[in-house]
Amino acid sequence: MSWSNYASTLIRYPQFGFSLDTSLMDLDDAFLSKMAPKVEKAFADIAAIESGAIANPDEGRMVGHYWLRKPELAPTQELRDAVTKPLAALKVFAEKVHTGQVKPPGGGIFQRILLIGIGGSALGPQLVAEAIGHNARMPIHFFDNTDPAGIDRVLSDIGVAGLAHTLVVVISKSGGTPETRNGMVEAKAAYDAAGMDFGKHAVAVTGEGSKLDHFATQQGFIARFPMEDWVGGRTSVMSTVGLVPAALQGIDIDSFLAGAAAMDAETRKHDAAKNASMRLALAWYAAGNGKGEKDMVVLPYKDSLVLFSKYLQQLVMESLGKELDLAGNKVNQGIAVYGNKGSTDQHAYVQQLRDGVPNFFATLIEVRKGRHGESIEVEPGNSSADYLQGFLRGTRKALYDSGRKSITISIPEVTPFQLGVLIALFERAVSFYASLVNINAYHQPGVEAGKKAAAVFLDLLGAVRSRLISEAKTAQEIAFETDADAEDIYHCLTHLAANGEAQIAIGSNPAEDTFSL
């Protein structure tokens, strides 16, 4: 640890209180010089993205999430309008909800939100709600999975009486995402059972002409907001996906967008020595030898940022986890991300980080302001905030002393502006890194493969249901009847038995288990 290295390499944007410390990543001049050609290409690549070039060749799509906080970058007036007009409309809608101009059919005002979505359509709004949604005008609940027990728990929290004053926001670009569709069907069933009109309590955020768009029209949804195909789910938090629920909660979305725009302005500059997103990308490259050989452990030292590591899991891993590079070579790229928060993890996995397998680098996030208002001394001379800072600095030093590298990102406090700063920082770092390793950051073939495999299982489940009779059968017998794999059949049968659709008689091993109606 060197004071001169820290002072000479720290990147600061004092106009909004941000700093990035990579002094403990040991990025030497030889590495930076070697990477210079790749860096220049990365700058050119992201400039092309921002100008409207096709950035997702698999789907022939532009990638325009940077336009969401600077619409004038969009290459056509039509695209600029696609940013500005929905933003203006959602602000008006939120105000009408808050003032009771848009109200439940039973009277009163909408008091809470139920958001139905998955992936980026839930993770972004969840991060925003946890980080900056405290004391919201409208508390928010989530259906972010197709787990029936989880759905029941949320409905129980809301209560039957509460449904009457709950505004449901359904978010799905296509309207065909099974988890979101299932959540909407479950929510509609709850409203139907309570004798209420689901459509008069619902809002859709979806692609124009999608299945959800048609359903919303048929059901008489209160409002519909567009979701553009040039905004990917993992970068959608500053689109209608994140801004509709944020505005309904009463969050300052203009400040949120301004924070991202401020970081974009700094990281758009072609100066690798002062560009925080490029420095992050280079640090990731150096740590993992350009092949993702080290995991990234994210430790925000602030409770309100507890979901930030989860948010980054999708942003980083879905963007960078790719089998093939742009030339079609098999490269199996990616950076694994995990984490929770500091100093909680001083008492969890920091022990392994310090003394165990050195297969990671850490990203510590410092929030300088401890709390609003006066602090007490928890011991003579020291406050709780002093301890939190001590644990951050102590962990950083202890890790480096043991040969573990780390990055430290500092912001003054957690506000809408500063959350925008952080999100924009990592979004551009992901874009830069993808260029450095020559992959497409904007498609997700692995996710699509999983969806197709799930559809195959559901088809097989239907076939197994039709083969169950009162006479007991083994999985192998039903596999023969359906020309399917016995293990796949067995998993279908145990699922049906666990949910009361079949009876199971346990044998000495799974091959001897039998199933019947």
Side-chain angles (χ1 to χ4, degrees), residues 60-324:
R61 291 180 180 176
M62 297 177 288
V63 171
H65 55 275
Y66 297 110
W67 308 333
L68 298 171
R69 51 264 194 170
K70 190 169 176 130
E72 56 267 35
L73 283 176
T76 68
Q77 187 59 48
E78 181 182 8
L79 289 169
R80 291 190 283 275
D81 289 345
V83 177
T84 58
K85 289 183 177 180
L87 177 59
L90 72 87
K91 288 180 180 179
V92 170
F93 178 74
E95 178 64 19
K96 287 182 176 180
V97 171
H98 294 156
T99 58
Q101 297 175 67
V102 172
K103 59 187 177 182
I109 63 171
F110 284 112
Q111 297 173 352
R112 63 185 66 243
I113 306 159
L114 170 59
L115 187 150
I116 303 174
I118 196 162
S121 296
L123 269 172
Q126 285 171 328
L127 170 65
V128 169
E130 182 68 28
I132 53 176
H134 304 294
N135 302 314
R137 293 189 65 158
M138 298 174 69
I140 189 166
H141 307 263
F142 293 89
F143 285 179
D144 66 346
N145 198 1
T146 189
D147 174 10
I151 290 169
D152 289 347
R153 184 170 61 250
V154 173
L155 290 174
S156 176
D157 290 343
I158 295 172
V160 175
L163 285 177
H165 301 282
T166 297
L167 183 63
V168 182
V169 181
V170 187
I171 305 177
S172 174
K173 187 179 291 185
S174 68
T177 306
E179 296 92 338
T180 304
R181 181 205 59 216
N182 294 356
M184 183 174 66
V185 170
E186 293 266 11
K188 184 178 184 303
Y191 276 91
D192 290 346
M196 291 182 276
D197 187 337
F198 176 67
K200 295 297 186 290
H201 294 79
V203 171
V205 179
T206 189
E208 186 176 349
S210 72
K211 293 178 182 178
L212 176 55
D213 195 31
H214 290 307
F215 182 79
T217 301
Q218 294 164 3
Q219 294 292 315
F221 276 28
I222 299 169
R224 288 172 291 149
F225 294 96
M227 199 172 171
E228 303 297 340
D229 67 0
W230 39 263
V231 178
R234 55 192 173 276
T235 54
S236 65
V237 70
M238 293 180 194
S239 73
T240 51
V241 170
L243 298 183
V244 169
L248 288 168
Q249 289 171 86
I251 290 168
D252 185 349
I253 59 176
D254 287 331
S255 182
F256 183 48
L257 292 167
M263 178 56 75
D264 284 344
E266 293 299 329
T267 56
R268 194 174 284 122
K269 296 174 181 176
H270 288 213
D271 184 348
K274 298 179 181 178
N275 187 310
S277 290
M278 179 58 79
R279 179 72 64 80
L280 268 187
L282 287 168
W284 297 351
Y285 192 105
N289 196 29
K291 300 175 182 178
E293 293 173 357
K294 295 287 180 76
D295 301 341
M296 176 161 59
V297 180
V298 180
L299 292 172
Y301 279 73
K302 186 61 68 173
D303 287 356
S304 59
L305 293 178
V306 65
L307 292 183
F308 195 59
S309 57
K310 186 177 179 182
Y311 178 81
L312 290 180
Q313 279 182 333
Q314 183 183 26
L315 176 63
V316 174
M317 295 176 73
E318 193 167 85
S319 298
L320 303 181
K322 303 297 161 63
E323 180 183 24
L324 305 177

